[in-house]
Each structure stands twice: as structure tokens, then as C-alpha cells.
Amino acid sequence: MTYALRSFTKTAVCNLSKQRTISASKRTFFSAMSSAVHHQRSNHAETNFRTTRINTKIPILGLGRSHTHTHRFSTLDNSNQFRGYNLSSAECNVPPTIASRVGTNLHLQPKHPLHTIKAIIEIYWQERNGFVTRDDIDPIVSTIHNFDSLLIPPEHVSRSKSDTYYFNQETVLRTHTSAHQTTMLTAGEDRFLVTGDVYRRDEIDNSHYPIFHQMEGVRMFTDEDFADAGVNSTQDKLKMVEDDLKNGLEGMARKLFGDVEMRWVDAYFPFTEPSFELEIYFNNEWLEVLGCGVVHKDIVKAVGRDDQPGWAFGLGLERLAMVLFSIPDIRLFWTQDERFHSQFESGQIITFQPYSKFPPCFKDISFWTSQEGVESTFHPNDIFEVVRDVAGDLVERVELIDAFTHP
């Protein structure tokens, strides 16, 4: 078994001295080694550190800790309890570092870039169709709402513990705001936007983070809507729904990016049929903006709406904000450094100005896993969680660069 992944990184963004960066680096790696062993032993019956060597190259990203904090993360007591869930349970893979950030709600902080993007989109849909908005729904949801109600099959990779944070077998941190779609439809809402933080176990680099923010939009069409448009046949109704979806999203894209070239790409999502992705040509490249489609008929029937047609879309706020504000690293949204937050004003798209740069510091870590069942027990996201738990956002990137089996 051989792995060969190489890391590339940009210079760090922060006013940290080289000496401090290196000392923090050393503490990170010594702590990560012991934490990794403990993590693996506590989650598997057998210790997996035996025959496979994995080198991890880790540059340090300076998201300074010495400056004024704009918000604080919640703390956990020594019992590792969080809202009645035992984080030390064998069923739970939610680390304290992730649990402590539940409720931070970056999208509700008025001057934050994510709040600005959210507000622009909400105003657009409220003026266009009178949408109801929700941005305060708890991110702890059942697997029924997160997966089953959206027709996500049992074998889908998104259900695995390598991708999703589980408190227990029936409860997760939502992986998308679509987890609230059926609840809102059952409550009788026909036009709504749901915004919130979502959680997925992911790699470590400048465009991925285990917590990000999504917006879900849904519009269901009534008999009155079709009557007003003079539409009667099922085929014409579906065409009207699809046209309204695309026209509305193209208008939203122009609201955000100006008069840009756009294209629609056929896609697949379990919960919409047909499904599409919208791409725009911006800054000399094609950028995927969102995914969308006609709400799957089985979902509509399951919430007691018979064959009522409607559409849904979902987008990531960070993806849009990084482009519009020229923010180079997704972790900067979480920085507590006032030099970042003082640059922005509520409701305004302002280009981010880097405040200082220092070279990254690279380190390698080697560890062993058992030869039997390596692929079934070890996943790169396991070590990513260990590194995040120990070093937080100081670590810019972690990549698997080599692996071998001892003869």
C-alpha cells in the first residue's frame, strides 16, 4: 500500500514571530502524536499503530491568538458532556473543539462577511417572492431529518463516520440546511430560506473547514399560482417551476456578482429531480455558485402535499464570501483578530487587506497502524480531527505524503 500526496501552501497571515511559530509547531506535533494514539485506541478495539507509516506535512497558519477577541467559543466541563451528549462515548465522534463552536453563529454577527452575504440574498428573495427567513434553528438534528427524509440511501458516503459528526446512532450535527426542509414543509411554509452552520469532517487546507454556513431556499407552487399563469398540464407546470427557479437564481447571481456570464450544468442530488448547478464566469474562471432542482416528488408526498410541485436550492456562504471579499483562507472567518473584523461594515462588500505575512513552518509526523483492516479502520479525517483538536487553526494544511507496509 503506497500513498503519495504533497502539500503546497501560501504564506501565513498574521503578526507572529518566527520563534513563536516554531515553538507552537513543536508543541503541536508532540501533543498530536500522543493524542493520535489515544484517539485510535479509544475508537477501535485494536491499536492501529503497527505497520503503515504515514508522513504528514504541516505548515503553520498564523491566525493570531494575542489580539482582541470579537467572540468567544463555549467551553465544556471536564466530564466531556455537551447538551446531554457524552463526547467520550464510543458512538460519538464529535471532538470538544467542534462542540465548543456550536452556537457561535458567525452568520448572525452584523459586520461579518457571512452576515453581509446572507442579508443581500435574503433581501433579494423577500422583495421577489416574500420569503420567510429562519437563521436560528439548532444544528443538532436526527438522522431521519438529515438523511432519510431527503432520500439519501443507507450506503451513501455522507452517512459514514468519516464524513459526518455523530453524537449517537440517531443524532448528528447537520451536514446541510436541507435537514430542515421537510419540517418547514410539514409546518405549511411555501416560501422560505433557512441559513445556519453545518458540519462535515474534512481535510485541512485553505478552502475546507469542518464548519461552514449554508442557505437553503424552497418555493412550492399552489393551484392559484398556476391559475394566474394560465398553466394547466403537469408538463407545463413543471416547466413553469423550472423556469422560475432558473430565472430567480440568475437574478440573485447578478445581484451578487453583477452582469456576468452564466451557464447551467445538469447534476444529481437525491432530493431533487431534475437537478442543476449554476456556474458563473468571474475573475477569468468558471465558478460553481450553487446546486438546485425541482423538489423530488417522493419528498413532497411524504410531507402530505400530494403532487404539489416546487423547487429548492442550496449554497455555501463561505464560497461566495471568499470570492466577493477576496478572502484567501476559509479559517479567517473564524479568527478572533480585530485586524480582520475591523475591515468590514454591515451590508458592504469590502475587499480584504492582508495585515502581515510570514513564511510557513513545515513538519512531518510518522505513525503506525495495523496491517489488518487498515482501510476499514483508518481514515485521513481521523488524524485531521486530532490535529485540529490539538493545534486549532494554527495548522494551515495537513496532507498524507507517503505510506508503506513493512515487509
Side-chain angles (χ1 to χ4, degrees):
M1 178 179 64
T2 303
Y3 295 95
L5 296 176
R6 184 66 58 183
S7 67
F8 299 91
T9 180
K10 297 181 180 179
T11 52
V13 184
C14 186
N15 188 16
L16 287 179
S17 69
K18 185 174 182 181
Q19 179 179 1
R20 180 181 171 189
T21 301
I22 293 175
S23 63
S25 164
K26 290 179 179 177
R27 290 196 301 272
T28 296
F29 301 118
F30 287 126
S31 300
M33 286 295 292
S34 60
S35 298
V37 175
H38 173 75
H39 174 79
Q40 292 290 340
R41 285 178 177 171
S42 64
N43 283 279
H44 304 296
E46 267 186 64
T47 303
N48 287 333
F49 292 77
R50 293 183 183 272
T51 55
T52 303
R53 185 187 184 203
I54 302 177
N55 297 321
T56 311
K57 184 164 286 188
I58 306 182
I60 299 299
L61 171 71
L63 299 180
R65 295 182 175 180
S66 60
H67 304 281
T68 304
H69 291 187
T70 57
H71 56 266
R72 295 181 181 275
F73 304 132
S74 61
T75 56
L76 305 177
D77 57 36
N78 293 330
S79 64
N80 245 16
Q81 294 290 321
F82 178 75
R83 296 193 185 180
Y85 297 101
N86 181 7
L87 301 187
S88 300
S89 167
E91 293 183 330
C92 180
N93 66 344
V94 181
T97 50
I98 297 298
S100 68
R101 297 195 178 192
V102 174
T104 304
N105 295 329
L106 299 182
H107 62 291
L108 299 182
Q109 298 176 20
K111 292 186 178 182
H112 199 284
L114 299 182
H115 179 273
T116 294
I117 299 297
K118 166 182 171 289
I120 292 173
I121 297 174
E122 286 181 343
I123 291 172
Y124 169 80
W125 287 107
Q126 287 170 344
E127 292 178 346
R128 180 182 175 87
N129 293 117
F131 273 53
V132 172
T133 61
R134 289 293 306 274
D135 55 19
D136 57 354
I137 304 178
D138 196 294
I140 300 176
V141 300
S142 70
T143 54
I144 293 175
H145 287 120
N146 199 74
F147 299 122
D148 299 335
S149 69
L150 297 171
L151 310 181
I152 298 175
E155 69 278 4
H156 197 278
V157 65
S158 65
R159 288 179 178 258
S160 69
K161 281 195 170 183
S162 65
D163 281 46
T164 297
Y165 290 110
Y166 282 81
F167 287 104
N168 54 47
Q169 292 182 354
E170 294 82 29
T171 311
V172 299
L173 283 169
R174 65 185 171 208
T175 61
H176 45 198
T177 47
S178 302
H180 308 291
Q181 183 181 119
T182 56
T183 303
M184 297 290 286
L185 290 174
T186 302
E189 299 292 350
D190 285 329
R191 305 176 185 188
F192 58 86
L193 299 171
V194 176
T195 308
D197 43 341
V198 299
Y199 301 77
R200 298 178 190 175
R201 301 184 76 200
D202 215 333
E203 56 196 279
I204 297 178
D205 61 29
N206 68 333
S207 62
H208 294 86
Y209 203 69
I211 314 169
F212 56 104
H213 297 74
Q214 280 191 346
M215 177 180 286
E216 166 95 355
V218 173
R219 180 186 178 185
M220 303 301 293
F221 288 73
T222 64
D223 291 338
E224 184 179 352
D225 293 327
F226 294 122
D228 290 343
V231 173
N232 297 309
S233 71
T234 299
Q235 183 177 355
D236 289 343
K237 289 179 180 179
L238 291 177
K239 186 179 186 306
M240 176 178 166
V241 171
E242 184 177 325
D243 288 346
D244 184 79
L245 168 66
K246 291 182 176 181
N247 290 335
L249 292 176
E250 288 175 0
M252 184 191 73
R254 283 190 290 270
K255 185 74 172 179
L256 291 167
F257 295 95
D259 189 14
V260 295
E261 184 181 354
M262 306 182 201
R263 67 184 182 189
W264 289 96
V265 179
D266 290 337
Y268 166 77
F269 306 109
F271 29 83
T272 53
E273 178 58 40
S275 303
F276 314 97
E277 290 176 346
L278 175 61
E279 297 181 351
I280 65 169
Y281 195 71
F282 190 76
N283 289 342
N284 298 317
E285 64 178 347
W286 284 102
L287 171 70
E288 178 191 332
V289 176
L290 53 83
C292 63
V294 177
V295 180
H296 199 289
K297 60 182 181 180
D298 290 344
I299 293 177
V300 177
K301 289 179 180 179
V303 297
R305 289 180 175 240
D306 298 325
D307 58 353
Q308 182 183 10
W311 54 248
F313 73 84
L315 56 82
L317 296 182
E318 279 86 350
R319 177 190 292 269
L320 302 181
M322 289 178 74
V323 174
L324 290 168
F325 288 83
S326 299
I327 295 173
D329 196 298
I330 193 171
R331 286 158 294 202
L332 284 168
F333 293 116
W334 288 90
T335 184
Q336 299 174 21
D337 195 324
E338 189 60 25
R339 291 175 298 176
F340 176 83
H341 294 280
S342 63
Q343 296 188 31
F344 306 109
E345 295 294 334
S346 181
Q348 300 181 31
I349 295 178
I350 299 172
T351 300
F352 168 69
Q353 301 297 323
Y355 23 90
S356 64
K357 295 183 178 180
F358 285 90
C361 176
F362 291 86
K363 294 292 181 180
D364 288 351
I365 297 176
S366 299
F367 57 91
W368 302 85
T369 67
S370 61
Q371 185 173 7
E372 297 77 20
V374 171
E375 293 187 1
S376 63
T377 59
F378 176 78
H379 191 281
N381 283 344
D382 295 335
I383 192 66
F384 297 158
E385 290 299 331
V386 172
V387 173
R388 281 197 180 99
D389 209 28
V390 174
D393 289 342
L394 285 175
V395 178
E396 180 176 334
R397 179 176 295 184
V398 177
E399 290 201 355
L400 184 67
I401 62 172
D402 188 29
F404 73 90
T405 302
H406 192 281

